[in-house]
Amino acid sequence: MPLWLELVVRIGGVLAAFLVLPLLVGQAEHKVMAHMQGRLGPMYAGGFHGWAQLIADGVKFVQKEDVTPRAADRPVFRLAPAVALVPYLLALLVIPLGPNDLVGQPLDVGLFFVLAVVGVGVLAVLMSAWASANKYSLLGGLRGAAQLLGYELPLVLAAASVAMAAGTLSLSGIVEAWQPWWLLWQAPAMVIFFVAGLAEIRRPPFDMPVADSELVFGYLTEYTGLRFAFLLLAEYVGIVVIAALTTVLFLGGWQGPFADAQLGWLWTLLKVAAVSFVIIWLRVSYPRLREDQLQRLCWLVLVPAALAQLVLTAAIRLTL
């Protein structure tokens, strides 16, 4: 296959995943929340099991007027949704789906690249908050910045633990080095990474930046129509990225109970779906953390635990 054609196929596959997987997660969230909380609305649209709910939401967003506040910084206000989406698209480029270079763009420093681009998300929060010219938005943006900058540290430390265990920063290399017994001694790092990842994508119970009971809708307050839909899509893409990273780093990626490498992509997707379900489940099950609780969990629990996990990983690596 010519190089240019291979490049087109890889990028096309990543774009398809970028557009399809978040919609599937959104549809699943409608149904899971409907069952767990007895919500009747999402079960009716389109007839059987509310299959058209996502389509109805899309039509609703398209029909809504695109409003920009008079006092807003218009270029920054309009650019923020794109800044929220692009980092996750770049992250999906280097997350492997299966063996034999089944990845958009294999990188030897894939883990470093993913953590770097995901950290750009804080810019979208600050841009939307400042440009909205709304005090509720600004307060939500400041909360979001404090949260994202704080939880970046345990996220990186937990990822460094598994990279140290594997001896590589390549995501494919980490999956190839992974062993089932890692589920025991890397379990604390997995929990830390997962919790910090939830905070990074501002999912409940870490949704203080958009606390509707206090800040209307935080940094999203002034967004309407398709711009709001893009910011909502960024949240669902974030779920896919965090679930995929958790799968690749801690759950063995494409490795399954059978030795058939041809089914590796299927095991990856099944694990991503399972982790995404847990993320939705947590939204339904736990109340929102207060700002002081959120920061205390980060600095007094996750960071010390992540540092202890690094020491444990170093000790085990030296003894092997």
Side-chain angles (χ1 to χ4, degrees):
M1 181 184 296
L3 180 60
W4 66 268
L5 182 57
E6 180 181 354
L7 184 62
V8 169
V9 171
R10 288 178 182 271
I11 294 177
V14 172
L15 282 175
F18 178 75
L19 295 173
V20 173
L21 292 180
L23 297 181
L24 293 177
V25 171
Q27 181 76 347
E29 183 169 64
H30 279 114
K31 306 310 167 190
V32 170
M33 292 180 67
H35 282 293
M36 288 187 173
Q37 296 183 331
R39 298 187 176 195
L40 299 180
M43 307 303 288
Y44 279 91
F48 177 73
H49 212 66
W51 65 269
Q53 180 61 49
L54 203 62
I55 298 174
D57 286 342
V59 172
K60 176 185 69 175
F61 285 128
V62 170
Q63 290 178 335
K64 285 185 177 294
E65 183 180 3
D66 183 13
V67 177
T68 301
R70 181 180 303 172
D73 187 333
R74 290 175 178 268
V76 178
F77 182 85
R78 294 173 177 174
L79 186 61
V83 176
L85 278 170
V86 170
Y88 294 126
L89 174 60
L90 296 176
L92 287 176
L93 277 172
V94 300
I95 297 177
L97 181 61
N100 304 319
D101 280 342
L102 189 57
V103 57
Q105 181 59 51
L107 289 179
D108 291 337
V109 290
L111 178 59
F112 176 82
F113 177 82
V114 168
L115 294 177
V117 297
V118 169
V120 176
V122 66
L123 292 180
V125 175
L126 290 174
M127 288 170 64
S128 59
W130 173 258
S132 295
N134 181 303
K135 289 183 173 59
Y136 290 112
S137 298
L138 183 59
L139 287 172
L142 293 176
R143 284 184 179 183
Q147 177 174 317
L148 296 179
L149 292 175
Y151 278 86
E152 191 80 18
L153 182 58
L155 185 80
V156 171
L157 290 175
S161 174
V162 72
M164 184 188 299
T168 179
L169 288 174
S170 167
L171 294 176
S172 297
I174 291 174
V175 176
E176 291 169 356
W178 183 87
Q179 300 293 330
W181 69 283
W182 285 19
L183 290 172
L184 297 176
W185 69 291
Q186 288 296 324
M190 179 176 66
V191 173
I192 295 167
F193 184 89
F194 181 74
V195 173
L198 285 182
E200 285 291 306
I201 59 176
R202 301 168 296 284
R203 287 284 298 183
F206 302 97
D207 58 339
M208 279 299 290
V210 291
D212 51 351
S213 60
E214 303 172 21
L215 303 178
V216 186
F217 210 47
Y219 63 93
L220 301 176
T221 298
E222 298 292 352
Y223 282 92
T224 59
L226 286 178
R227 297 187 198 281
F228 179 79
F230 289 150
L231 288 167
L232 193 61
L233 179 64
E235 178 181 328
Y236 287 129
V237 182
I239 293 176
V240 174
V241 169
I242 293 301
L245 285 175
T246 304
T247 296
V248 168
L249 295 177
F250 301 101
L251 300 179
W254 61 76
Q255 296 193 42
F258 307 109
D260 188 1
Q262 300 300 321
L263 294 178
W265 61 272
L266 180 59
W267 291 118
T268 301
L269 290 178
L270 288 176
K271 293 174 184 178
V272 169
V275 177
S276 299
F277 172 79
V278 174
I279 293 175
I280 297 171
W281 188 1
L282 290 175
R283 173 179 181 174
V284 178
S285 304
Y286 286 91
R288 178 184 300 127
L289 293 177
R290 295 196 317 264
E291 186 66 22
D292 62 316
Q293 294 173 329
L294 188 146
Q295 295 296 338
R296 190 179 298 115
L297 174 64
C298 174
W299 295 106
L300 298 183
V301 178
L302 295 185
V303 171
L307 291 173
Q309 177 65 34
L310 277 177
V311 173
L312 173 64
T313 301
I316 292 179
R317 284 285 294 174
L318 289 175
T319 58
L320 291 178

